[in-house]
Amino acid sequence: MQLPALNRPHHHLCFFRLDPQFCLAPLTALPADDIRLPDADRSLLCQLDDNDRRQLEQLCATEQAASIGLTIAGRRWQCHLAPTENRHWLLSAEMGKVQRDDELGLMEWQLQQGWEQAPSSLAAQMPMLMDTLIGQQNADRVILWRHYAAEEVLRPLYSQGLPFSLQPVKAERRYLRTLQQRGGLSYSHCAEQPLLSAFGYLSADGIQHRLDVPLLVDKAIVGLVSLEYRRQRAPVTAADMQFVAVIAARLAGLIAAPAMPAPIADIHIGQLTPVLSHHTGQDFFNQLMQQLATLCGADIALVGLQHARKDKVRVLSCYTDNQLQPPFSYHLAGTPCHFSLQPSANICVHHNHTAERFPDDRVLKEKGIQAYIGLSIKDQHQQPIGILALLFRQPLTQTTALQSLLDQLENRVRDELLRRRDQEALMVAAAAFDAQEGLFITDSHMQIQRANQAFANISGYESDQLTGRSALNLRAEDPHSTTIDAIVHAMEQQHRWQGEQRLLRADGRELPVSIRISQVRDGLGIMHYVCCVEDLSEQKADKQRIEQMAYFDELTGLHNRRFMVEHIAHTVALAEHESTRGALLLLDLDDFKNINDSLGYATGDDLLVQVAERLHGFAGQTEGISLARISSDEFVLLCPELSHGYTGAKTRAEQLALGLREQFLLPFQLGSLRLHLSASIGISLFPVTGMGLEEYLRQADTANHIAKRVAPGSHVFFSQEMADEVQERVRISNALQQALINDELELYFQPQQQVNDNRPLGVEALLRWHPPGKKPIPPGHFIPIAEETSLICDIGDWVLQQACSRIQRWQSEGHQPGRVSVNISARHFHSANFVSRLALLLQQYPACQHRLTLEVTEGVILDNLQESRTRMAQIKAQGVNLSIDDFGTGYSSFAYLRELPVDELKLDRSFIQHIDKRPQDRAIIACLLDLARTLEMSVVAEGVETEPQLATLAELHCPAYQGYLRARPMPEAKLLRWLVE
């Protein structure tokens, strides 16, 4: 602040008032504009360096006039102070001298002076040099690297600051060449620098900036010093680079200089004072080992922490061959360090021949160790916690000073080892506490003292919100969970408890959890509870999903067959125990396969879902009924406790069956499609003495099969006669398979003749079965059984092959039976390779073309009209005729006749049987004959057995017939004789 009344002087002298609080106020104008004054509102003492402040305080304390020099705002003030009233001072100052100093340069000079006056070894000076670098350059870590040119590696000898594993890296030639040329390299964004690619740890340690300066000996790089920063530092100035280069040169000189250990007798604890007072943790161990190895001339210096088993040592720091080694572990057995296991042993000394005394210790032999001195470090309970050892390649004669030094180091090393052990234990405990399993600790009143993040996530609270909260308030009431009183009782008896509870989350939701509670006491004897919590939500959900998959139908949501089988066992056993009767109703949808084939499986699935909904609603009206979907279109209702008697149970079961059938009276609406559907029901009553559980389902299935065959949409109770019939059908099916293998089947032939003159037109091949030593089995008995399985396809192929071979042979032998007709079943006609197999037969038997006729019923064609039209066209193209068998008994839709390549109609015997007696039958035949003539089709009347029937057909101009009137079915030999006659 200037006084405006005063003119600016032409000199550099200015007057000030200094008050008792050392606040400085100007009394005259400043001599120049570029002079900055100290802050008038703050004490001048706070704005001076330590030396000037101390001198000013001492001068004012004397209360006498005196002169003093002060450095203020970059200028050197030559001041004269004179005391005035009220402890004020008049200060005159000559302030024209500008002061500039190079702090780093001055320190560099001081360091060099100190090195010249007190030269020492690398290990002795390295801690001080590294302290200086970190302090002056504000680095987060400094690393000293040794360059091994032959191996092309950089090995770290020493690090200070951030933790660092002393692992070597590859010495990239380009990087070293650039470093040597420039004398130093400063990097920002280290992870992105190609020259630093070998230093892979930089990114993991978060290093942002790095300054590297080489250590040169005879212009060759023997190492380098690296200053690393986790932040972006200010730009490196020339002074910074020069300062680091001077220290790097000093380190290079120390590395190149031969080690000169001090005489052991002259070693004392004072030489280790810098290490003991300025360092702790890993830095303490590293620097102590280097100092001890240098001072004592040891070839190996190591300190280790003993494991909990005490038989193994984990080395924390080892210095040998002028460098620190990576941590390692070794077993005490067979080594000189084994003495530490003895309770009374403190220091062990082997003056010479150490390697010979411990032949199992290969390190001693490899290193050529002669002498050993070790310190066993024990805790307050005299239990070994670690060891400090010095090893020498030369024998030791005087060890008194070494033992004294180790004794003096024992307490400090013990403290560091205990701290290290506690830190590691805390790290393990913290890692365990922050594991994925939820953990919280409470006091004796179950107030939460601490909770980990995993439990916070489970509970929905923040960790600090859980602290102080009662753990009991987090418990949701559940009648199926163990009560609080039961848990407390278990804790009092066993001091622990484990079980399932319901956890009340912060959002109000409840979670199933597994809890383990352990009672513990801390070092003061105060009781706590440690609670481990595991969220069982996913396990419960997985279990429910597994049960859903195991016992429920995925499409409809109903129970499945597995559940129903197990439930039948339980229900039947209960019925036997309580002497009640029930019923098992098996419901099968009629013609569901046709819906799937014609409308697609998606529509079929939608239909099944709607059926399941109706059945579920029906079952829910009666208590105790269980419903399941056991296969594609089969459902089961298990109805227990219908009555105590057989008659009552049967009556109630029939009422339920009628109610089920009523569920299908209304159509099912599938989008714009309305489908009418019926279902057949088979009923089995239970219990039945001595019957297996699977039999009830089998009985209901048998009854259902009968219902479908007799009257689709009806219900049938199981009876023993049904079982006998089913067993007979199974027996015939098995025997028929064997008959096909054993050539028990035979072709018979029934002639077809013209009505007007009885001239033969052809024959129909008919299948007969003659079991050896038994009566022939009628075709009406075994053909329907074969049609229920794929066996009909095998039989059909056999019949076709036999018929074609006969046609070929008859043609070659000069027989003229005319055309040969063969019946083809629906399953055979629609089989995948029917047309291709027929083509192969025609190639093998070329005489069959235009002589072979295939007979199919209307139902075969209309099962799938489009596919049938395509197949029939392919068959016609191969020279095979097609005939509609049993015409008039099926759908009798004339529309399809004009779309299909049909050659012939065969009138069913039911029309022919009363044609001469019933005018209606005669009229129908007349219409059919007119239709055939219009469509240019031939007609054959089947089942002609009397002359009047034949005469009527002649009157109606029917072209052909077959029947018992003129010829019954006959074997081949008889047919050929009949043709001759």
Side-chain angles (χ1 to χ4, degrees):
M1 180 173 102
Q2 298 179 350
L3 298 178
L6 298 176
N7 294 324
R8 187 179 299 279
H10 297 285
H11 52 77
H12 294 93
L13 185 64
C14 189
F15 289 89
F16 298 87
R17 183 179 67 247
L18 189 67
D19 65 16
Q21 285 73 38
F22 292 93
C23 291
L24 194 66
L27 300 176
T28 61
L30 295 177
D33 290 336
D34 60 346
I35 297 177
R36 290 190 299 111
L37 295 179
D39 188 351
D41 296 329
R42 295 171 55 211
S43 170
L44 180 61
L45 297 178
C46 298
Q47 304 176 64
L48 300 175
D49 60 25
D50 293 342
N51 186 48
D52 286 355
R53 181 175 61 250
R54 188 166 49 253
Q55 292 185 40
L56 181 58
E57 286 178 333
Q58 293 174 356
L59 186 150
C60 292
T62 64
E63 297 183 357
Q64 295 180 5
S67 297
I68 186 175
L70 301 175
T71 300
I72 299 176
R75 289 179 178 266
R76 191 66 176 174
W77 291 13
Q78 298 299 326
C79 305
H80 182 81
L81 284 86
T84 62
E85 70 281 358
N86 299 326
R87 300 181 61 192
H88 282 65
W89 295 78
L90 178 65
L91 184 149
S92 63
E94 173 67 34
M95 54 184 65
K97 300 177 180 178
V98 178
Q99 177 182 320
R100 294 286 187 269
D101 61 19
D102 182 354
E103 184 179 354
L104 290 178
L106 291 173
M107 177 170 288
E108 173 192 327
W109 189 20
Q110 291 173 356
L111 288 172
Q112 290 176 337
Q113 293 294 323
W115 297 338
E116 293 175 359
Q117 295 173 6
S120 58
S121 66
L122 174 64
Q125 289 195 24
M126 188 183 301
M128 181 271 292
L129 295 175
M130 296 304 181
D131 287 343
T132 302
L133 282 175
I134 285 185
Q136 291 300 318
Q137 296 296 317
N138 295 319
D140 293 309
R141 177 167 62 200
V142 60
I143 305 175
L144 176 64
W145 304 86
R146 177 73 183 275
H147 177 222
Y148 292 87
E151 303 174 16
E152 293 190 346
V153 297
L154 288 170
R155 184 182 300 278
L157 302 181
Y158 178 90
S159 75
Q160 188 171 321
L162 297 175
F164 181 67
S165 59
L166 299 175
Q167 298 294 335
V169 301
K170 180 175 177 56
E172 297 285 352
R173 295 182 182 180
R174 180 186 170 198
Y175 163 76
L176 294 178
R177 185 170 59 253
T178 305
L179 183 64
Q180 185 175 16
Q181 290 172 350
R182 299 186 182 181
L185 294 173
S186 176
Y187 302 93
S188 59
H189 306 291
C190 294
E192 302 172 6
Q193 298 295 334
L195 283 178
L196 297 179
S197 59
F199 300 88
Y201 66 86
L202 294 174
S203 177
D205 290 355
I207 301 302
Q208 295 291 321
H209 194 100
R210 173 164 156 153
L211 174 61
D212 288 350
V213 177
L215 277 59
L216 301 174
V217 175
D218 296 332
K219 297 183 180 181
I221 295 181
V222 298
L224 61 106
V225 60
S226 299
L227 281 72
E228 297 178 343
Y229 302 82
R230 276 186 171 171
R231 64 196 183 283
Q232 289 295 339
R233 61 157 286 168
V236 178
T237 65
D240 292 331
M241 188 65 79
Q242 174 65 25
F243 179 76
V244 179
V246 169
I247 293 183
R250 179 61 180 173
L251 291 169
L254 293 173
I255 289 176
M260 297 180 62
I264 292 180
D266 296 338
I267 294 174
H268 56 86
I269 193 67
Q271 296 170 282
L272 298 175
T273 299
V275 175
L276 301 178
S277 59
H278 294 140
H279 298 279
T280 187
Q282 188 62 41
D283 281 348
F284 169 80
F285 293 124
N286 289 344
Q287 298 200 28
L288 180 60
M289 294 304 99
Q290 293 182 51
Q291 294 286 348
L292 284 176
T294 303
L295 292 175
C296 304
D299 295 285
I300 300 177
L302 63 86
V303 59
L305 190 65
Q306 287 185 245
H307 285 221
R309 302 195 311 269
K310 311 271 188 319
D311 62 343
K312 195 174 184 182
V313 170
R314 180 160 49 86
V315 175
L316 303 178
S317 181
C318 176
Y319 188 82
T320 181
D321 297 331
N322 293 324
Q323 60 186 5
L324 289 168
Q325 303 297 319
F328 61 94
S329 299
Y330 69 93
H331 289 277
L332 291 173
T335 71
C337 297
H338 190 264
F339 80 95
S340 63
L341 298 179
Q342 301 173 11
S344 59
N346 186 32
I347 290 182
C348 176
V349 179
H350 296 284
H351 293 86
N352 53 29
H353 306 301
T354 305
E356 288 81 356
R357 290 194 181 112
F358 299 94
D360 295 334
D361 191 336
R362 61 180 183 82
V363 175
L364 298 180
K365 184 176 181 180
E366 291 174 0
K367 298 292 184 180
I369 300 301
Q370 289 291 324
Y372 168 92
I373 182 168
L375 171 67
S376 176
I377 302 164
K378 298 178 172 60
D379 60 13
Q380 64 272 24
H381 303 296
Q382 293 302 305
Q383 294 298 316
I385 61 171
I387 193 164
L388 190 156
L390 302 174
L391 295 86
F392 304 84
R393 291 192 177 95
Q394 301 297 326
L396 287 178
T397 55
Q398 298 294 329
T399 60
T400 303
L402 284 177
Q403 294 186 51
S404 175
L405 178 63
L406 295 183
D407 279 333
Q408 295 175 71
L409 288 174
E410 181 177 7
N411 290 335
R412 178 60 198 283
V413 175
R414 177 191 298 112
D415 293 342
E416 290 291 339
L417 287 175
L418 290 173
R419 184 180 297 111
R420 177 64 171 265
R421 188 177 68 177
D422 293 343
Q423 288 175 348
E424 293 181 356
L426 287 173
M427 290 172 64
V428 172
F433 195 76
D434 288 330
Q436 293 183 353
E437 186 177 30
L439 291 171
F440 66 90
I441 301 173
T442 74
D443 59 16
S444 58
H445 302 291
M446 295 300 289
Q447 299 293 319
I448 297 177
Q449 296 175 308
R450 186 183 175 192
N452 70 352
Q453 188 59 46
F455 180 68
N457 295 338
I458 294 173
S459 66
Y461 292 94
E462 298 293 335
S463 297
D464 54 355
Q465 292 178 321
L466 290 168
T467 303
R469 186 182 295 269
S470 173
L472 300 180
N473 293 338
L474 300 178
R475 179 181 179 271
E477 290 295 335
D478 181 15
H480 304 291
S481 299
T482 307
T483 63
I484 294 294
D485 293 338
I487 295 174
V488 170
H489 179 73
M491 295 298 299
E492 291 175 351
Q493 298 294 321
Q494 303 175 2
H495 308 298
R496 64 179 180 276
W497 180 83
Q498 180 174 353
E500 290 189 16
Q501 291 286 305
R502 304 283 297 182
L503 175 69
L504 185 62
R505 282 176 47 88
D507 56 11
R509 291 192 299 120
E510 294 183 8
L511 291 182
V513 294
S514 173
I515 301 182
R516 300 192 308 275
I517 306 177
S518 301
Q519 187 183 93
V520 297
R521 293 185 182 274
D522 60 18
L524 300 177
I526 300 176
M527 188 173 67
H528 302 269
Y529 295 106
V530 178
C531 305
C532 303
V533 182
E534 181 183 3
D535 184 2
L536 299 180
S537 300
E538 291 189 5
Q539 294 184 22
K540 296 283 187 181
D542 291 342
K543 181 179 179 182
Q544 186 175 3
R545 281 194 294 270
I546 292 172
E547 290 181 352
Q548 186 77 18
M549 293 170 60
Y551 293 105
F552 288 84
D553 175 50
E554 184 178 359
L555 176 64
T556 63
L558 301 178
H559 288 295
N560 60 11
R561 183 183 186 91
R562 180 178 181 181
F563 169 84
M564 184 54 70
V565 169
E566 295 181 6
H567 193 50
I568 289 172
H570 170 75
T571 304
V572 170
L574 188 64
E576 291 175 344
H577 177 73
E578 297 180 352
S579 299
T580 61
R581 288 185 176 273
L584 187 150
L585 284 70
L586 190 149
L587 181 148
D588 192 331
L589 305 181
D590 297 326
D591 294 323
F592 181 73
K593 181 179 181 302
N594 291 334
I595 294 175
N596 264 344
D597 292 342
S598 59
L599 301 179
Y601 288 98
T603 302
D605 288 348
D606 292 341
L607 179 60
L608 288 173
V609 171
Q610 289 197 21
V611 170
E613 291 174 352
R614 289 193 188 182
L615 296 180
H616 185 267
F618 174 79
Q621 299 173 8
T622 305
E623 184 179 0
I625 291 183
S626 299
L627 173 65
R629 177 183 176 225
I630 63 171
S631 67
S632 174
D633 57 349
E634 290 186 341
F635 298 84
V636 166
L637 280 84
L638 187 64
C639 311
E641 301 180 0
L642 296 182
S643 177
H644 285 280
Y646 174 82
T647 303
K650 184 174 183 180
T651 301
R652 181 69 182 122
E654 185 153 17
Q655 293 173 350
L656 291 172
L658 292 173
L660 278 174
R661 291 167 58 185
E662 289 177 358
Q663 302 301 310
F664 294 86
L665 295 179
L666 294 176
F668 292 88
Q669 191 72 39
L670 301 175
S672 61
L673 189 66
R674 291 165 62 89
L675 289 179
H676 290 271
L677 190 67
S678 64
S680 302
I681 302 171
I683 307 171
S684 172
L685 299 178
F686 63 84
V688 176
T689 304
M691 190 163 72
L693 297 175
E694 286 285 347
E695 281 295 320
Y696 295 106
L697 270 177
R698 191 177 296 112
Q699 286 184 355
D701 184 63
T702 299
N704 181 275
H705 186 76
I706 298 298
K708 274 184 171 298
R709 196 170 62 189
V710 174
S714 64
H715 65 273
V716 172
F717 283 88
F718 173 81
S719 65
Q720 187 58 44
E721 290 78 8
M722 294 179 188
D724 295 341
E725 180 184 346
V726 170
Q727 290 178 2
E728 176 64 13
R729 293 173 71 86
V730 171
R731 185 192 66 78
I732 290 177
S733 177
N734 293 335
L736 189 56
Q737 293 184 30
Q738 198 64 36
L740 191 60
I741 298 173
N742 297 337
D743 284 336
E744 297 176 12
L745 301 179
E746 184 181 359
L747 283 187
Y748 273 44
F749 301 91
Q750 186 175 29
Q752 297 175 343
Q753 300 169 271
Q754 291 185 0
V755 172
N756 55 2
D757 59 4
N758 289 325
R759 185 166 59 86
L761 294 175
V763 295
E764 179 181 1
L766 300 171
L767 185 64
R768 295 294 183 264
W769 180 12
H770 301 283
K774 297 180 182 178
K775 292 182 179 181
I777 299 177
H781 199 172
F782 70 84
I783 292 295
I785 295 175
E787 287 180 339
E788 294 177 359
T789 66
S790 60
L791 185 60
I792 191 64
C793 295
D794 297 332
I795 293 176
D797 287 341
W798 183 87
V799 170
L800 270 177
Q801 195 275 333
Q802 291 292 319
C804 290
S805 67
R806 304 294 171 85
I807 294 174
Q808 187 72 29
R809 191 172 73 247
W810 292 341
Q811 178 69 16
S812 63
E813 294 175 355
H815 300 294
Q816 299 295 329
R819 67 186 180 185
V820 176
S821 299
V822 177
N823 288 281
I824 304 298
S825 69
R827 186 187 290 267
H828 192 199
F829 181 80
H830 290 292
S831 61
N833 54 355
F834 174 76
V835 175
S836 60
R837 287 200 304 271
L838 179 62
L840 290 176
L841 285 174
L842 294 175
Q843 291 178 7
Q844 185 178 1
Y845 306 107
C848 295
Q849 288 189 350
H850 308 297
R851 291 185 176 86
L852 177 65
T853 299
L854 300 185
E855 296 184 6
V856 294
T857 63
E858 293 175 274
V860 171
I861 298 172
L862 297 181
D863 275 347
N864 190 327
L865 185 59
Q866 181 61 39
E867 180 190 354
S868 299
R869 183 188 297 114
T870 302
R871 288 195 172 219
M872 293 176 78
Q874 293 171 346
I875 293 171
K876 282 286 294 180
Q878 297 179 23
V880 177
N881 298 322
L882 291 169
S883 174
I884 305 293
D885 195 16
D886 300 332
F887 185 75
T889 61
Y891 293 88
S892 297
S893 173
F894 298 150
Y896 74 85
L897 288 178
R898 19 169 229 207
E899 301 180 16
L900 299 176
V902 177
D903 301 290
E904 179 183 79
L905 299 179
K906 295 193 72 173
L907 303 180
D908 187 69
R909 69 180 62 248
S910 62
F911 296 112
I912 307 302
Q913 186 176 3
H914 303 289
I915 191 173
D916 57 329
K917 300 175 183 177
R918 294 180 183 174
Q920 298 91 339
D921 290 351
R922 179 188 176 97
I924 292 173
I925 295 300
C927 291
L928 294 178
L929 289 171
D930 289 340
L931 175 67
R933 281 190 290 270
T934 303
L935 297 177
E936 296 181 351
M937 297 181 185
S938 64
V939 176
V940 176
E942 291 185 293
V944 177
E945 298 179 354
T946 65
E947 290 292 347
Q949 293 173 350
L950 181 61
T952 305
L953 289 174
E955 294 174 5
L956 295 175
H957 304 290
C958 178
Y961 76 98
Q962 71 182 75
Y964 287 179
L965 175 63
R966 293 286 184 262
R968 290 173 175 269
M970 60 191 77
E972 179 184 8
K974 189 173 181 181
L975 171 68
L976 296 178
R977 289 196 300 272
W978 183 88
L979 289 173
V980 172
E981 293 172 359

